[in-house]
Amino acid sequence: MVEDTKLQNKLVSKIYNVRLKESIATFTKNLFYVMFDDEPATELQHLENLFVDMSSKLEIEDAFNIWETFKFNLPSIRRRLDLDAVAIEQHDPAAKSLGEVYLAYPGFYAIAIYRLSHELFELNVPIIPRMMSEYAHGVTGTDIHPGAQIGDSFFIDHATGIVIGETSIIKNNVKIYQGVTLGGVQVKKSLSATKRHPTIEDNVIIYANATILGGDVVIGANSIIGANVCVTVSIPEGSILTYQKEFNIRSRNHD
């Protein structure tokens, strides 16, 4: 009882600057925009100032050097985003142009914010990458943890309801449809340092509402995971896994 009281007092006395959510929204939106600007220098300076200010409020050290490294890596992130956009345009019959992908596809936006937040995550920046991913989650309905590892030419269709956990590994040329979950079998704090989420090898397609759970699960290359399946074991390379349910269809006529 005494320990509970101490914890409660500690939580009450701690002040969290939740208004940083507004700063993160501005930072994330403008960071996405600057990736496609012809002359980004002025906007990059504004973003640097905002990043340093947020870092100060979050007690993140060495913010300037972190930003310089991050800024240096932006062109390589842009090249990967271009590969993602091409993959979407080539494989979605509804996409009429690359411009439509860049301007109107929530899946592409979710991927873009993931790649930017992942870069900061790899630079050991606390909190900010996670806040960026949560902002994108609110905008697109897609929850990609910045710690996930995702290869080139990644295709998300429709975006809504997708969850990709922190230790997920997704290789190249993977396609994921709405409602897919790459999750863990158990949710225990003691497992925080272990691989809890699945590995998806090259050229895999995962259709709508499929759920793949477990850190030891590997979906072999060139496989297709059908809609609505729940997978908790590894799938060999070149497999097709589907869920079949028998429907009983009767006429409404009462002759």
Side-chain angles (χ1 to χ4, degrees):
M1 188 69 177
V2 174
E3 291 299 320
D4 290 343
T5 302
K6 288 181 179 179
L7 176 61
Q8 185 176 22
N9 290 337
K10 181 180 179 181
L11 291 174
V12 169
S13 63
K14 178 69 174 179
I15 302 299
Y16 294 96
N17 192 345
V18 295
R19 294 184 187 276
L20 281 174
K21 285 178 171 286
E22 295 182 10
S23 299
I24 282 290
T26 300
F27 177 77
T28 305
K29 284 190 294 185
N30 290 337
L31 187 57
F32 175 77
Y33 298 152
V34 82
M35 295 297 292
F36 306 98
D37 285 348
D38 290 333
E39 298 180 3
T42 300
E43 186 59 42
L44 279 171
Q45 184 60 57
H46 291 322
L47 287 168
E48 177 186 325
N49 295 339
L50 184 54
F51 179 79
V52 170
D53 179 65
M54 292 188 300
S55 297
S56 175
K57 291 175 180 176
L58 292 169
E59 300 179 348
I60 298 171
E61 298 180 357
D62 205 24
F64 176 76
N65 287 328
I66 291 171
W67 176 259
E68 287 299 304
T69 302
F70 178 67
K71 185 171 67 173
F72 179 81
N73 291 332
L74 289 179
S76 65
I77 297 174
R78 170 61 195 269
R79 287 190 289 271
R80 298 190 75 183
L81 288 176
D82 289 339
L83 292 175
D84 298 324
V86 169
I88 295 170
E89 194 270 338
Q90 288 182 342
H91 294 103
D92 184 1
K96 307 306 181 187
S97 66
L98 270 174
E100 184 177 1
V101 174
Y102 286 110
L103 294 171
Y105 269 59
F108 177 75
Y109 189 73
I111 294 168
I113 303 308
Y114 155 74
R115 295 210 184 278
L116 292 164
S117 64
H118 177 74
E119 187 65 32
L120 290 172
F121 185 90
E122 289 292 291
L123 292 171
N124 297 313
V125 176
I127 304 178
I128 289 176
R130 193 67 185 90
M131 293 178 74
M132 291 171 65
S133 69
E134 189 54 30
Y135 169 77
H137 183 195
V139 173
T140 67
T142 300
D143 185 2
I144 308 177
H145 194 286
Q149 300 177 41
I150 301 178
D152 292 334
S153 301
F154 185 42
F155 171 28
I156 288 178
D157 197 16
H158 298 295
T160 306
I162 290 172
V163 177
I164 299 174
E166 178 186 15
T167 61
S168 300
I169 298 174
I170 300 174
K171 301 291 184 67
N172 299 321
N173 303 305
V174 171
K175 304 176 185 65
I176 292 182
Y177 289 77
Q178 68 272 17
V180 166
T181 296
L182 304 183
V185 174
Q186 301 182 67
V187 181
K188 294 181 178 179
K189 192 67 175 179
S190 60
L191 298 175
S192 62
T194 63
K195 188 178 186 305
R196 307 180 305 280
H197 307 94
T199 296
I200 313 299
E201 297 286 353
D202 293 342
N203 307 311
V204 169
I205 302 173
I206 307 174
Y207 283 107
N209 299 312
T211 299
I212 305 173
L213 304 176
D216 295 330
V217 172
V218 178
I219 306 300
N222 304 303
S223 293
I224 296 175
I225 306 300
N228 300 310
V229 302
C230 183
V231 183
T232 56
V233 296
S234 293
I235 304 299
E237 180 178 347
S239 299
I240 299 177
L241 179 64
T242 59
Y243 171 77
Q244 293 183 336
K245 181 177 179 180
E246 183 178 342
F247 290 93
N248 183 14
I249 302 175
R250 295 179 298 144
S251 173
R252 293 183 61 188
N253 296 327
H254 301 285
D255 296 333

